[in-house]
Amino acid sequence: TRCRQAPRVTTTDVQPTAMSPDDLATYLADRLEERVVGHEVAYGQLTITVAPEAVPVAVQLCRDDPRLAFDFFDFMSGVDEREEGFALVTHLYSTTHRHHIQIRAVAAGGREGPVLPTISHLFRGANWHERETYDMFGITFDGHPGLLPRILTVENFEGFPLRKEFLLMTREVKPWPGLKEPKAVEDDGDGDGDAAASRGPSAEEKARMAREKAERAKAKAAE
């Protein structure tokens, strides 16, 4: 009798299968074990929180595991968590299975010296994102080939603009355009004089100022 040869299975015969957010959470928890701190599903997308030192391990697992196949690095963003410190969120996408994941980690070192391991050796696009995150939040990425010079601010810029404690200097440099602060106007007792001032000059006053301006221009022309 002749043996029947099994048909060859090619990559085109394998249908992409997207894992649900809950299935992704279970799958990663089974493999990362205690390195998973928690997870949350919001708007149909999984955010899994891992220990800070486990970020490269989690990202590499998501990239290399065929069942996950997160081959597309989308973006990275810092988040100011106030007393908790600074969190980093990395979004990955699988072009094969068409599912998403966000990997979150809170940087070690608190607000004084936040630090996380780099993933620039796993996704080349993360290099620039880590530099931007350092520039805006001050998170240092251990193992990064070079976070300096800063790319979104000037070289001697002091502070990190997206931190909660960073002061917006607009009100410090430019005075309030009104005659009085809004609260000061509300707190006035009668407010008649201040209200009239806040309404600006009257029509007669405007006419007088216009005549004076015209006379000054006429005298200047004569000279």
Side-chain angles (χ1 to χ4, degrees):
T1 59
R2 297 178 61 184
C3 295
R4 296 181 61 187
Q5 185 177 4
R8 294 184 60 187
V9 178
T10 64
T11 55
T12 56
D13 298 323
V14 179
Q15 296 299 320
T17 304
M19 297 177 69
S20 69
D22 292 327
D23 291 340
L24 279 172
T26 302
Y27 192 86
L28 289 168
D30 290 342
R31 285 150 182 80
L32 295 174
E33 299 177 338
E34 70 280 356
R35 287 171 287 200
V36 175
V37 179
H39 75 277
E40 178 185 5
V41 178
Y43 302 101
Q45 183 168 292
L46 170 67
T47 299
I48 186 167
T49 302
V50 301
E53 66 277 5
V55 172
V57 177
V59 172
Q60 186 167 3
L61 173 66
C62 288
R63 185 194 67 175
D64 296 345
D65 189 313
R67 188 69 182 85
L68 301 173
F70 287 104
D71 56 341
F72 182 75
F73 171 85
D74 190 7
F75 69 84
M76 175 186 292
S77 176
V79 182
D80 190 335
E81 301 283 1
R82 296 187 181 275
E83 292 79 10
E84 190 178 357
F86 298 95
L88 184 76
V89 177
T90 301
H91 181 265
L92 304 178
Y93 175 70
S94 173
T95 58
T96 302
H97 304 306
R98 300 177 183 177
H99 49 209
H100 302 253
I101 191 171
Q102 290 190 148
I103 301 174
R104 176 182 178 273
V106 178
R111 301 192 68 84
E112 298 303 320
V115 60
L116 283 167
T118 185
I119 61 167
S120 58
H121 59 291
L122 299 174
F123 286 103
R124 294 182 64 182
N127 184 314
W128 201 260
H129 286 246
E130 289 178 354
R131 291 185 67 184
E132 291 180 344
T133 304
Y134 168 76
D135 208 351
M136 294 290 102
F137 292 92
I139 301 175
T140 301
F141 292 89
D142 190 23
H144 190 281
L147 295 172
L148 296 174
R150 297 176 71 165
I151 56 176
L152 296 178
T153 58
V154 295
E155 187 174 350
N156 60 345
F157 190 86
E158 296 183 3
F160 303 100
L162 292 187
R163 289 193 177 192
K164 298 290 187 183
E165 68 269 16
F166 188 84
L167 295 177
L168 296 177
M169 299 305 294
T170 304
R171 292 295 300 275
E172 298 295 329
V173 176
K174 299 179 181 179
W176 176 257
L179 297 179
K180 301 191 70 174
E181 289 287 338
K183 189 171 186 340
V185 174
E186 295 174 3
D187 292 342
D188 283 344
D190 50 17
D192 293 339
D194 292 332
S198 63
R199 287 194 297 268
S202 63
E204 293 79 4
E205 186 69 14
K206 289 181 180 179
R208 182 185 61 80
M209 291 188 293
R211 288 195 300 271
E212 292 177 352
K213 183 176 180 180
E215 291 174 358
R216 289 195 299 269
K218 183 177 181 181
K220 186 175 182 180
E223 293 176 359

